[in-house]
Amino acid sequence: MSYTIKAPAKINIGLDVIRRLPSGYHELKMIMQTIDLFDILEVEVTDGDDNELICSDSSLPSDDNNLVMKVIRLMQKNYCIEKFLRVKLIKNIPVAAGMAGGSTDAAAMFLAINDIFELNISKKELMEMAVELGADIPYCIMQGTALSEGIGEVLTKLPDFDGVTVLIAKPPIEVSTGFVYGNLKLTGDVQHPDIDAVMAAMHDRDYDAMAGHIGNILETVTIPAYPVIEEIKQCMKDNGAFISLMSGSGPTVFGLFEDEETAAAAKKACEDMCEGIFTTVSHTYNP
């Protein structure tokens, strides 16, 4: 049998770091939102003697170093699945862009195996299992609009923030997550976003209030190191975005717009600074 599933990207509509934990991880508070940009997994049960992953992006591993393969191995072990899988992964989400591309592929694989083999595992159980492979994977199983706390694994569902036009821009740089968190300073006059106020404003669709309280504290590291991120943000704001922010640890920048026409004009204005730029919408999937 064959099975196809979408793996949607996410953006962070506000990201705060509360403190560094003794474990070396950081306690976070951020708003997660899926958007209508997705990878596709085509899954087939085979009579072969091992699992196989074929990826459209040759720069990504196709062996057990890929999260998709890690999920398959984990589910086969935990649920005594004796069949093997062939997976074709079609990548559309930019790689290493702060949009949870690897995590959402892993989440889709959890959901696919649950359906294919009729395991009837609850979404909550899948999320609890997934966290051992990555802190973002539980959210990517939940999807939609959510408050994410802890190291990213403590999730609270929020009212859907669907239908907002989103402009996504990836500058031609790579940003190391380790570099960002390793150089983050939480003392002194660092200004933190007010995530609670952003959530309230999102609920009311009060875009001015959102803009007044939103922020991504990781920009305090990335923008001095990579000024093009600020240049793209400013270009989006100058061309009608009511919010423009870096997603996650970057380098992707997104802008939120009230209509598609304004976003299209901003896309044209900003495209020379980007290696990839496209318009989409905030969206809640129902996996």
Side-chain angles (χ1 to χ4, degrees):
M1 67 170 293
S2 60
Y3 182 98
T4 300
I5 187 170
K6 294 178 178 179
K10 65 84 183 169
I11 56 174
N12 296 99
I13 304 180
L15 189 158
D16 195 15
V17 178
I18 309 302
R19 63 191 177 104
R20 181 184 172 92
L21 299 169
S23 64
Y25 288 96
H26 289 78
E27 182 180 348
L28 307 172
K29 187 170 185 178
M30 52 192 175
I31 301 167
M32 312 281 263
Q33 175 64 52
T34 43
I35 58 175
D36 198 22
L37 169 70
F38 46 83
D39 293 341
I40 297 172
L41 281 75
E42 298 175 352
V43 186
E44 182 182 358
V45 180
T46 76
D47 294 323
D49 56 4
D50 203 354
N51 303 301
E52 182 182 6
L53 174 62
I54 304 162
C55 184
S56 65
D57 186 338
S58 60
S59 71
L60 296 176
S62 57
D63 57 13
D64 284 359
N65 291 308
N66 191 295
L67 277 173
V68 168
M69 292 291 276
K70 291 180 186 291
V71 172
I72 296 172
R73 300 291 188 200
L74 180 64
M75 294 289 277
Q76 286 172 331
K77 175 185 175 183
N78 287 357
Y79 295 95
C80 300
I81 298 171
E82 297 180 354
K83 295 284 188 179
F84 293 105
L85 299 175
R86 178 184 297 115
V87 181
K88 182 178 180 182
L89 173 57
I90 302 167
K91 290 294 295 181
N92 297 303
I93 302 169
V95 175
M99 301 178 73
S103 294
T104 193
D105 294 341
M109 197 70 247
F110 273 113
L111 294 165
I113 292 174
N114 193 32
D115 278 357
I116 290 168
F117 295 103
E118 299 180 345
L119 300 176
N120 297 315
I121 307 167
S122 70
K123 190 181 291 187
K124 181 175 182 293
E125 290 175 295
L126 284 176
M127 291 164 62
E128 290 170 350
M129 191 188 323
V131 73
E132 69 178 81
L133 296 182
D136 277 349
I137 303 175
Y139 164 72
C140 292
I141 292 173
M142 172 187 279
Q143 302 181 14
T145 312
L147 173 67
S148 174
E149 298 176 283
I151 62 170
E153 86 289 7
V154 181
L155 299 167
T156 304
K157 187 76 179 72
L158 299 176
D160 293 336
F161 192 64
D162 283 2
V164 177
T165 301
V166 184
L167 182 60
I168 300 291
K170 184 180 186 295
I173 56 173
E174 294 185 3
V175 176
S176 163
T177 299
F179 166 80
V180 175
Y181 280 98
N183 287 277
L184 180 64
K185 303 291 189 292
L186 298 175
T187 56
D189 59 354
V190 174
Q191 185 172 354
H192 291 257
D194 187 338
I195 300 298
D196 290 333
V198 174
M199 287 190 293
M202 287 174 65
H203 180 270
D204 296 335
R205 298 276 172 150
D206 185 339
Y207 299 146
D208 288 339
M210 283 181 66
H213 296 289
I214 206 165
N216 179 345
I217 199 169
L218 301 183
E219 291 182 350
T220 60
V221 178
T222 54
I223 287 177
Y226 306 98
V228 67
I229 293 173
E230 180 61 35
E231 292 170 12
I232 296 172
K233 285 180 57 183
Q234 193 60 51
C235 182
M236 289 189 182
K237 290 176 183 177
D238 289 345
N239 287 276
F242 62 85
I243 285 169
S244 184
L245 205 65
M246 184 181 75
S247 184
S249 57
T252 295
V253 176
F254 69 88
L256 302 184
F257 295 80
E258 294 193 49
D259 59 77
E260 294 180 10
E261 292 76 14
T262 306
K267 176 182 177 182
K268 187 173 182 179
C270 301
E271 61 188 2
D272 287 346
M273 291 182 281
C274 309
E275 68 176 13
I277 185 166
F278 38 88
T279 307
T280 181
V281 294
S282 59
H283 187 76
T284 299
Y285 289 80
N286 294 295

